[in-house]
RNA sequence: GGGCGUGUAGCUCAGCGGGAGAGCGCCCGCUUCACACGCGGGAGGUCACUGGUUCGAUCCCAGUCACGCCCACCA
């Protein structure tokens, strides 16, 4: 007889059945209170990683739990077009073919991208199916769907109408590899070993010189000033004079600005507004010119004189040579500092001045911040709300344009007079001058500009659909910490502005799943473990259980042990069901019999009900998994099933009927976490009409019994018995339990009852001391003290009876 | 420079004012008719360190040391 539970075939079969029978389908006209979650849209190009699997598991628990309680559930799936990531993939291919996107041209590039996606994109939904995620796959949406693009355009036009959208020529994070601007939030700072170069700038009047320190000599060509701290005594007299920039020999003013750190380097800062963010600010405040010497490709540009076209390395060498020749190179020392890199291409970010579209976020951020503060949107864990709040309160303009081709092209058109027309669909004439020769903006939107609309654009917004009416606002959004600003906060802002409501009331921030060595899981580091492989090895139920069990509010290291625990749990459940079902043919489940074992197990399940319900409601998924494990293993299998085993063999009808009823109940609790194995067992139960997946959750408060059976004393006695090996006086029923559960071989043959009893006396005495302490008694609530007293008195009585 | 967080059994982690816990691993014993992915028993911890608050501290407070992560324009 095969006694091992094999999830493989079972899970695939149920996944197909559930979907085919439409259990995941959301119908706005169906009965039941709505409950909806929008799955954070994964990148079309992506693969399911551990973080996705964990996040999907937590959301699936919530969805299945609500479905089982009769809610009308929608779990909305879909993909994000991930413009910059997709660019990276396609452009890598082009590079390998010896070409690039500019040679290929925009139209061909976009066409190629669609084609590539058709073939290789969108594999995650299949992986989520394999995990058992109960998404309504028939409603898959994509941020590049026509309808979705219309929503994005509506958003932009709306913001434009509010007067919050503008174009500006500012310094931005430019990625020379991706050839686009990049958001502050997508720049990762890493320590880099550079050289700090001290350079002497002669004064124009020949009266001396001032020295500066720089890590980027090529930017010297773009210097438009030298700045010192206004209170720096060393340089006070130089402010207002002019210095001569080396190599280009340009005369520039020496200005005073408090942003200069007098303690750094020489205390004098060269100002290059074209290539440094701080310098840009200082430059604007002092009305300095903005000179750019490095181009969009990262090479020296036409303003670099004879260095035009040179790489920065070449330029640096030439400039250093020049400085040496002119005796203006004072020092060059190694220097480690943090430098921004593009998160996608890993290229070093080049701060550059370019014209971009911006959104003024101030009025958008205020309601979102207010919602967090007032608790209308609640974060779990709570401190993450504080993090979001801080960001919202220091909100800065959002650069929403990207110089890419894959994405929603910005709906702004320019006429030859330089007027701009913003519209949801292509206008025939300029809104200002009526000219017909219009040219559409070349840029596309930042990916997050479109994903900000996800919870409602997927439901048909801006059309007033029935879906929107029923399922919006959604209930929960669950995601990782790294996109709180990029995504969560922006959904809140867009949701409030466009729909008048926060798009969800709960934000769950799940833990980051790290590799077992504590580093991030990553393919390049070889530290990644694919959920797919884990499911193949252990089953989807075990994987879901394991991920939930290891999750917490902290980052966690992936450890196989938890998954194995899940597999054991599934196997255990499978086997205990076989034990009961083997003898239960034709038996009707019933909870009326009240033998001691039944009473005990009923009480345990009632406690489990409370803990399961409570932990799901408060999003404590690790606690949920723990409660399920203990209830199944310790209570149901080790205690209860062992105790009633002889009666099952005797086909005692009470034991059979009750154990069936209790097993049903246990399956219901386990189903949200381990749907496949529970449904498999459920269908084997006699007289099943409903599916476990739909509304079989115990109602209304789920208690079997109103009163707790009086077995506390037996448990205490059993504990003393177990510890001491002494014999306890028991009535007949109690002895039966003891014989079944506390087996003879559990009693230590060489145990010393006298010493054990002494130890227990000591413990009780310590507790009595506490109760005798006036200050404790004065502070503790009366009923607590009273309860403790009674408990202790009982323990002592039992113990002394035992000893005597 | 700010902010958040973590240091508990060999490993991964719970617990967070009154008896130090789980799973895995380890040791001993079990071919007991659901399960050896099992059953029973057991070893293993000055709960990072120092001080404070308290009748009582792994838990609260302060500091120290180590390690994460996030935000910020240090050339």
């Amino acid at each position: 007889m095969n006694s091992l539970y094999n999830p493989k075939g079972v899970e695939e079969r149920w996944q197909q059945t559930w979907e085919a029978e439409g259990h995941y389908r959301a119908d706005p006209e169906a009965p039941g209170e709505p409950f909806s979650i929008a799955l954070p849209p994964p990148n079309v190009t992506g693969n399911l990683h551990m973080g996705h699997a964990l996040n999907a598991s937590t959301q699936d628990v919530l969805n299945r739990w609500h479905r089982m309680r009769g809610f009308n559930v929608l779990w909305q799936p879909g993909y994000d077009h991930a413009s910059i990531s997709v660019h990276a993939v396609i452009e890598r291919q082009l590079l390998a073919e010896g070409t690039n996107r500019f040679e290929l041209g925009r139209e061909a590039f976009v066409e190629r991208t669609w084609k590539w996606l058709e073939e290789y994109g969108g594999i995650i939904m299949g992986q989520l199916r394999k995990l058992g995620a109960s998404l309504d796959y028939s409603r898959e949406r994509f941020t590049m769907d026509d309808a979705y693009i219309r929503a994005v355009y509506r958003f932009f036009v709306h913001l434009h109408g509010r007067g919050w959208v503008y174009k500006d020529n500012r310094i931005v994070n430019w990625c020379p590899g991706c050839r686009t601007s990049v958001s502050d939030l997508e720049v990762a700072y890493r320590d880099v070993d550079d050289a700090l170069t001290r350079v002497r700038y002669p004064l124009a009047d020949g009266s001396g010189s001032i020295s500066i320190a720089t890590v980027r000599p090529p930017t010297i060509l773009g210097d438009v000033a030298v700045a010192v701290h206004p209170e720096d005594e060393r340089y006070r007299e130089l402010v207002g004079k002019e210095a001569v920039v080396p190599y280009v020999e340009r005369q520039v003013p020496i200005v005073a600005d408090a942003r200069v750190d007098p303690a750094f380097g020489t205390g004098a800062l060269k100002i290059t507004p074209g290539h440094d963010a701080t310098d840009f600010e200082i430059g604007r405040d002092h009305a300095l010119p903005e000179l750019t010497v490095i181009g969009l490709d990262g090479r020296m540009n036409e303003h670099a004189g004879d260095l035009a076209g040179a790489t920065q390395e070449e330029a640096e060498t030439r400039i250093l040579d020049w400085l040496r020749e002119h005796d203006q190179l004072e020092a060059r020392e190694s220097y480690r500092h943090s430098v921004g890199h593009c998160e996608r291409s890993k290229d070093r970010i080049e701060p550059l001045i370019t014209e971009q579209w911006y959104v003024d976020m101030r009025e958008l951020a205020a309601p979102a911040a207010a919602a967090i503060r007032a608790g209308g949107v609640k974060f779990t864990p709570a401190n993450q709300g504080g993090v979001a709040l801080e960001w919202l309160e220091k909100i800065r303009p959002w650069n929403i344009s990207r110089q890419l081709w894959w994405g929603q092209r910005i709906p702004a058109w320019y006429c030859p007079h330089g007027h701009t027309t913003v519209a949801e669909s292509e206008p025939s004439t300029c809104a200002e001058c009526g000219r017909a020769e219009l040219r559409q903006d070349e840029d596309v939107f930042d990916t997050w500009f479109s994903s900000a609309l996800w919870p409602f654009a997927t439901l048909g917004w801006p059309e007033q659909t029935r879906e929107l009416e029923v399922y919006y606002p959604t209930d929960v959004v669950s995601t990782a910490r790294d996109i709180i600003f990029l995504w969560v906060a922006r959904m809140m802002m867009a949701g409030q502005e466009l729909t008048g409501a926060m798009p969800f009331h709960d934000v769950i921030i799940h833990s980051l799943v790290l590799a077992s060595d504590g580093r991030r899981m990553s393919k390049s580091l070889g530290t990644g473990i694919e959920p797919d492989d884990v499911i193949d090895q252990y089953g989807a139920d075990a994987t879901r259980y394991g991920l939930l069990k290891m999750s917490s509010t902290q980052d966690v290291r992936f450890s196989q042990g938890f998954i194995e625990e899940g597999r054991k749990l599934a196997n255990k459940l499978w086997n205990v069901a076989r034990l009961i079902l083997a003898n239960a043919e034709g038996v009707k489940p019933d909870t009326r019999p009240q033998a001691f074992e039944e009473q005990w197990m009923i009480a345990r399940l009632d406690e489990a009900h409370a803990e399961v319900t409570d932990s799901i409601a408060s999003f404590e998924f690790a606690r949920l998994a723990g409660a399920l494990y203990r209830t199944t293993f310790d209570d149901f299998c080790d205690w209860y099933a062992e105790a009633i085993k002889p009666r099952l063999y005797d086909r005692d009808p009470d034991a059979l009927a009750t154990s069936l009823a209790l097993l049903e109940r246990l399956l219901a609790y386990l189903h949200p976490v381990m749907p496949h194995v529970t449904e498999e067992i459920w269908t084997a139960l006699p007289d099943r009409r409903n599916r476990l997946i739909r509304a079989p959750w115990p109602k209304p408060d789920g208690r079997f019994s109103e009163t707790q059976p009086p077995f506390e004393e037996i448990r205490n006695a059993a504990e003393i018995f177990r510890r001491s090996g002494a014999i306890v006086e028991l009535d007949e029923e109690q002895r039966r339990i003891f014989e079944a559960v506390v087996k003879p071989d559990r009693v230590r043959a060489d145990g010393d009852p006298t010493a054990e009893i002494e130890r227990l006396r000591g413990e009780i005495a310590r507790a009595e001391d506490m109760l005798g302490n006036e200050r404790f008694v004065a502070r503790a609530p009366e009923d607590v003290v009273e309860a403790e007293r009674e408990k202790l008195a009982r323990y002592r009585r039992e113990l002394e009876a035992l000893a005597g």
Side-chain angles (χ1 to χ4, degrees):
Chain A
M1 172 169 36
N2 182 11
S3 51
L4 281 187
Y5 169 62
N6 177 10
K8 198 100 201 154
V10 172
E11 293 183 346
E12 267 170 45
R13 181 156 38 79
W14 280 116
Q15 281 152 18
Q16 283 161 15
T17 307
W18 284 328
E19 209 178 325
E21 290 180 354
H23 294 287
Y24 299 166
R25 286 273 175 92
D27 174 5
E29 309 306 333
E33 196 182 321
F35 179 82
S36 62
I37 298 181
L39 179 80
N43 292 356
V44 251
T45 50
N47 224 301
L48 194 80
H49 58 62
M50 262 330 148
H52 290 132
L54 167 59
N55 196 23
S57 299
T58 66
Q59 290 171 70
D60 200 41
V61 166
L62 295 174
N63 284 311
R64 287 184 182 271
W65 186 56
H66 280 90
R67 205 175 280 118
M68 289 175 80
R69 294 194 303 154
F71 281 75
N72 180 351
V73 173
L74 165 63
W75 191 11
Q76 173 68 52
Y79 289 106
D80 191 286
H81 67 288
S83 80
I84 196 166
S85 301
V86 172
H87 260 267
V89 173
I90 306 289
E91 291 197 46
R92 210 176 303 130
Q93 293 173 7
L94 294 176
L95 191 68
E97 294 166 20
T99 179
N100 62 54
R101 70 165 152 125
F102 300 101
E103 273 179 34
L104 189 63
R106 183 170 194 145
E107 212 168 304
F109 180 88
V110 171
E111 201 174 306
R112 179 181 175 133
T113 302
W114 275 110
K115 225 159 150 193
W116 185 82
L117 286 177
E118 232 167 76
E119 201 164 342
Y120 300 104
I123 65 167
I124 289 186
M125 289 307 143
Q127 296 174 312
L128 285 169
R129 281 182 168 95
K130 188 167 161 185
L131 186 69
S134 59
L135 289 147
D136 183 351
Y137 297 96
S138 69
R139 290 177 181 271
E140 187 181 307
R141 296 288 183 270
F142 186 33
T143 50
M144 287 295 281
D145 290 341
D146 288 343
Y148 201 101
I149 294 175
R150 279 198 291 280
V152 173
Y153 282 8
R154 172 67 63 91
F155 184 26
F156 182 70
V157 171
H158 176 94
L159 292 173
H160 186 260
R162 286 283 228 167
W164 297 342
V165 165
Y166 58 94
K167 272 189 118 171
D168 199 0
N169 217 11
R170 301 184 56 82
I171 196 149
V172 296
N173 305 304
W174 182 266
C175 172
C178 306
R179 293 278 199 126
T180 180
S181 65
V182 173
S183 141
D184 288 345
L185 297 170
E186 286 164 305
V187 174
Y189 287 86
R190 283 209 311 271
D191 278 353
V192 166
D193 287 312
D194 263 333
L196 186 64
T197 309
R198 288 189 190 216
V199 182
R200 195 165 51 78
Y201 286 30
L203 297 181
D205 61 10
S207 65
S209 67
I210 184 166
S211 296
I212 57 88
T214 180
V215 289
R216 300 190 60 197
T219 63
I220 286 174
L221 306 190
D223 284 356
V224 296
V226 170
V228 296
H229 193 274
E231 269 150 46
D232 194 331
E233 295 297 339
R234 295 170 294 178
Y235 301 122
R236 181 155 286 178
E237 275 153 33
L238 299 185
V239 174
K241 291 191 171 186
E242 294 204 316
V244 180
V245 177
Y247 200 87
V248 289
E249 313 216 290
R250 180 170 53 241
Q251 295 191 12
V252 299
I254 297 172
V255 300
D257 194 286
R259 278 164 286 200
V260 178
D261 176 3
F264 185 91
T266 62
L269 175 65
K270 73 189 208 53
I271 300 299
T272 320
H275 299 291
D276 182 275
T278 308
D279 292 7
F280 180 83
E281 300 295 334
I282 293 176
R284 287 253 159 136
D285 291 350
H286 293 268
L288 296 167
E290 287 160 9
L291 182 57
T292 300
V293 294
I294 297 167
L296 301 182
D297 56 359
R299 297 172 93 96
M300 306 306 291
N301 73 4
E302 68 278 12
H303 301 125
D306 65 337
L307 291 178
T311 65
Q312 290 189 43
E313 291 71 32
E314 290 161 3
E316 177 158 339
T317 308
R318 299 266 297 273
I319 290 166
L320 291 177
D321 286 345
W322 190 97
L323 291 171
R324 277 191 204 97
E325 277 167 30
H326 293 76
D327 196 27
Q328 287 177 225
L329 181 64
E330 289 194 325
R332 197 161 156 80
E333 58 211 40
S334 63
Y335 178 60
R336 194 179 179 81
H337 65 144
S338 86
V339 175
H341 291 75
C342 173
E343 275 191 347
R344 298 296 164 188
S345 69
K346 312 297 173 200
D347 284 303
R348 197 160 160 157
I349 289 295
E350 191 70 59
L352 283 182
I353 298 175
T354 54
E355 189 173 47
Q356 305 282 347
W357 286 96
Y358 289 90
V359 180
D360 182 334
M361 303 297 287
R362 287 169 298 181
E363 290 197 50
L364 286 164
I372 295 175
R373 211 178 284 104
V377 175
K378 192 165 70 64
F379 280 70
T380 305
N383 62 348
Q384 295 298 336
V387 175
L389 195 56
E390 205 183 302
W391 184 76
L392 285 165
E393 286 176 341
K394 292 192 310 199
I395 198 82
R396 298 197 293 182
W398 180 10
N399 166 210
I400 54 168
S401 49
R402 296 290 178 273
Q403 291 64 53
L404 301 171
W405 295 339
W406 171 246
Q408 306 96 1
R409 190 163 172 177
I410 293 179
W413 286 264
Y414 307 106
C415 80
H417 289 151
H419 301 134
T420 304
T421 304
V422 166
E424 284 182 48
S425 54
E426 183 165 6
S428 51
T429 57
C430 173
E432 279 183 57
C433 65
R435 297 249 330 220
E437 308 92 279
L438 295 177
R439 183 176 52 80
Q440 186 174 4
D441 196 295
E442 295 287 329
D443 292 352
V444 300
F445 285 113
D446 174 15
T447 296
W448 301 103
F449 188 79
S450 55
S451 38
L453 313 179
W454 189 249
F456 43 96
T458 49
L459 299 177
W461 184 90
E463 305 308 319
Q464 260 312 311
T465 60
R466 186 80 179 116
E467 275 79 3
L468 205 56
E469 194 180 322
V470 172
Y471 296 117
Y472 188 84
T474 68
D475 289 274
V476 174
V477 67
S478 172
T479 187
R481 187 167 52 246
D482 50 358
I483 55 174
I484 293 178
F485 306 147
L486 287 168
W487 191 49
V488 177
R490 280 158 180 177
M491 282 191 288
M492 292 171 65
M493 295 189 271
Q496 181 66 49
E497 178 63 21
L498 297 175
T499 70
M502 283 293 151
F504 34 72
H505 50 74
D506 271 287
V507 180
I508 305 174
I509 302 299
H510 69 249
S511 25
L512 233 51
V513 182
L514 305 171
S516 51
D517 61 3
R519 291 184 296 174
R520 274 190 101 117
M521 278 205 185
S522 114
K523 269 188 210 149
S524 50
L525 291 174
T527 51
I529 299 173
E530 303 284 321
D532 246 21
D533 299 339
V534 179
I535 294 172
D536 285 338
Q537 194 181 347
Y538 298 98
D541 285 336
T543 304
R544 296 161 60 106
Y545 173 91
L547 286 171
L548 293 171
K549 184 76 188 283
M550 75 179 86
S551 75
S552 69
T553 56
Q554 300 307 317
D555 294 346
V556 285
R557 299 175 180 209
F558 181 83
S559 65
Q560 210 121 297
F562 290 112
I563 312 285
E564 276 162 14
E565 191 178 310
R567 179 179 60 181
K568 281 173 50 181
L569 181 57
N571 185 245
K572 192 74 178 173
L573 185 68
W574 170 254
N575 276 298
V576 80
R578 287 173 62 224
L579 168 70
I580 292 169
L581 290 169
N583 301 293
E585 209 172 311
V587 175
K588 282 229 185 307
D590 193 353
T591 52
R592 271 172 303 174
Q594 293 289 307
F596 177 79
E597 305 92 306
E598 276 98 35
Q599 287 183 24
W600 185 84
M601 193 61 226
I602 283 169
R604 298 302 305 147
L605 282 170
D606 281 349
E607 277 177 44
H609 182 94
E611 195 167 0
V612 166
T613 307
D614 189 61
S615 56
I616 296 178
S618 54
F619 312 131
E620 295 171 273
F621 298 101
R623 190 181 136 213
L624 167 68
L628 293 174
Y629 186 91
R630 281 191 303 277
T631 304
T632 307
F633 247 86
D634 301 353
D635 298 340
F636 198 87
C637 295
D638 289 353
W639 227 89
Y640 171 69
E642 286 301 326
I644 62 164
K645 210 185 242 179
R647 292 167 62 203
L648 290 179
Y649 294 149
D650 291 346
R651 305 189 128 258
D652 174 338
D654 285 355
L656 287 170
T658 316
S659 61
L660 266 181
L662 299 187
L663 176 63
E664 279 178 13
R665 178 63 59 101
L666 183 66
L667 291 174
Y669 297 148
L670 281 158
H671 183 265
V673 174
M674 309 189 110
H676 308 90
V677 66
T678 49
E679 186 94 311
E680 180 73 3
I681 296 168
W682 182 264
T683 46
L685 297 177
D687 200 25
R688 269 308 108 221
R689 269 156 311 176
N690 214 345
R691 277 284 163 70
L692 181 56
I693 190 173
R694 285 218 169 260
W697 193 264
K699 290 192 237 192
D701 74 346
R703 299 237 156 211
F704 278 121
S705 58
E706 291 301 313
T707 53
Q708 292 276 330
F711 52 75
E712 265 304 309
E713 285 175 32
I714 293 187
R715 289 173 83 190
N716 292 332
E719 182 63 12
I720 291 166
F721 175 86
R722 196 182 59 75
R723 286 183 179 186
S724 67
I727 302 302
V728 185
E729 283 300 312
L730 295 170
D731 66 27
E732 202 177 322
E733 190 187 11
Q734 289 168 338
R735 186 171 305 114
R736 191 159 48 70
I737 305 298
F738 265 75
E739 280 166 6
V741 178
V742 187
K743 294 176 185 169
D745 65 349
R746 288 198 201 179
V747 180
R748 253 187 311 179
D750 60 346
D752 179 358
T754 323
E756 192 61 24
I757 286 168
E758 264 324 297
R759 205 186 62 77
L760 290 170
R761 273 199 184 120
E763 281 183 21
I764 291 174
R766 215 174 319 145
E768 282 172 343
D769 277 355
M770 180 185 86
L771 283 175
N773 185 295
E774 278 175 36
R775 295 171 103 152
F776 169 79
V777 173
R779 283 182 211 178
E782 239 172 77
D783 54 333
V784 168
V785 175
E786 202 43 49
E788 286 295 312
R789 280 222 173 91
E790 274 173 29
K791 211 164 77 187
L792 273 183
R794 202 171 69 233
Y795 285 168
R796 188 169 273 287
R797 268 202 314 279
E798 282 171 8
L799 186 67
E800 294 312 328
L802 203 68

